[in-house]
Each structure stands twice: as structure tokens, then as C-alpha cells.
Amino acid sequence: MPHISLPEHLPGITGLLEYRLDTAMPIRELTQILLRGESTLTPGERELIATLVSARNETRFCTAAHTKAADLLLGENETARAVKQDFETAPVSEKMKALLAIAARAQRSGKDVTPEAVERAKQAGATDREIHDTVLITALFCLYNKYVDGLASVTPTDPAYYQRLGERIVQGYKRPPGGFPVPPKM
């Protein structure tokens, strides 16, 4: 049960963002820029970073949502699962493994991102911007994970919910005009 009164029809981060539209606006905008804006990393690759960070933070809502978004963007269901299990053996490029290693380090502590980890990413072809964005996506999802868990927002268990949410996330992170409708009572 959430620690504060939230819209019952909006579990997870969605209800929290609706609770404070003024703070939600810049958070959504930053998320849209980082995960759907111009980048040499694909949206699927950026969702893999969000998935890994959320899984390592043990935030079930965000892990399920971003796993599904990554699956949809990548067109398959194995890569995100493999990244969560062991990104070093996952079927991703060496550059992506190095960036995921940076994300794993930054998730623990920003001070854990070593010159060696950065050099590994550069040797694998990562640009300064890709390294920057990996750390910023990691920091943003640590914020989201603490926000969701810290206020005990509702985490649905129905996989169909995450399928619908993943489909919405694939379209982007902007709030729908007029907000989220309350479903009719049955």
C-alpha cells in the first residue's frame, strides 16, 4: 500500500508523476531526451541500461516496465533477460557490454566508475556522449527506483499490464494530453 494517497488507477511511477505534475514535467522531459532523443545508442539499447539499473536496484515495477519496453524495441524477449542475468555474457556488442559495466558501477556509486571502465568503453568504440548518457540514464533510473520504492507505489503482478505499459513507453515518455483517464467501474 502506498505511503501517500495516489490515483488508484495509476500504479508505479505513473501515479507518482500524476501526483506532482510540476515536478513530473522536467523529469518526463529529461527521460524523453535521454531515452528517445537523438543518440547513437538505439532506444532499445538505452532501455537495456534502464532495465539493468532497475533490476540491480530491485525495483520490480521499473524492471518489468523497462524489460518489456526493451523487448518490444529489440523485437525479441531474450536480450533484456540475459542483460539482467549477466550483461557480460548477454548477446550485445562489446561496446554495449562496456557501457552496461559503467551503468552497473554507477548504480552502486558514481565513484565506482573508474578510468579503466571508461577506457574499456572507449576502446570498444563508445563516444564521450554515450558514456555521459549512460551515467545520466543510470542516475535518472536510480532516482525513479528510489521514488517508486520510497513511496511504496503499487506494483501490478499481471504481465498483461506490463505489455500495455511497454507499448506506451515505446511511444515515448510524454504525458498524454489531458492525462490518464480513469477506467470505468465494472
Side-chain angles (χ1 to χ4, degrees):
M1 184 167 159
H3 296 312
I4 61 174
S5 181
L6 297 170
E8 288 183 26
H9 70 290
L10 299 174
I13 193 70
T14 311
L16 294 169
L17 293 173
E18 285 296 293
Y19 180 81
R20 285 277 319 256
L21 293 176
D22 58 335
T23 59
M25 187 178 66
I27 292 170
R28 285 183 191 276
E29 188 174 327
L30 180 59
T31 308
Q32 181 68 24
I33 291 166
L34 286 173
L35 276 82
R36 294 295 178 275
E38 185 180 320
S39 177
T40 51
L41 296 176
T42 69
E45 289 171 329
R46 290 176 275 170
E47 288 291 343
L48 287 176
I49 296 167
T51 298
L52 177 68
V53 171
S54 297
R56 292 175 67 89
N57 283 329
E58 300 178 7
T59 303
R60 290 187 347 248
F61 179 87
C62 297
T63 302
H66 295 284
T67 296
K68 183 46 69 178
D71 289 349
L72 292 167
L73 287 163
L74 297 171
E76 45 87 2
N77 298 329
E78 290 305 311
T79 301
R81 182 195 56 73
V83 162
K84 291 183 293 187
Q85 190 170 48
D86 179 4
F87 62 84
E88 293 290 1
T89 61
V92 296
S93 69
E94 289 305 312
K95 176 175 86 171
M96 198 63 209
K97 288 177 185 178
L99 291 172
L100 290 167
I102 288 173
R105 288 174 168 277
Q107 176 269 331
R108 278 192 312 270
S109 169
K111 293 180 181 182
D112 281 353
V113 179
T114 63
E116 294 80 16
V118 171
E119 184 58 29
R120 174 188 175 195
K122 287 183 177 186
Q123 289 296 317
T127 65
D128 285 350
R129 177 151 174 194
E130 290 169 336
I131 294 165
H132 170 276
D133 289 358
T134 295
V135 172
L136 189 51
I137 291 167
T138 300
L140 180 62
F141 276 85
C142 284
L143 175 144
Y144 273 141
N145 299 159
K146 291 176 188 312
Y147 194 26
V148 167
D149 289 341
L151 288 169
S153 66
V154 173
T155 300
T157 57
D158 181 5
Y161 173 82
Y162 294 102
Q163 177 67 35
R164 291 187 307 274
L165 181 58
E167 290 167 0
R168 190 174 86 219
I169 289 171
V170 164
Q171 301 306 310
Y173 288 91
K174 296 189 177 180
R175 183 176 185 260
F180 299 91
V182 177
K185 297 273 183 193
M186 297 279 183

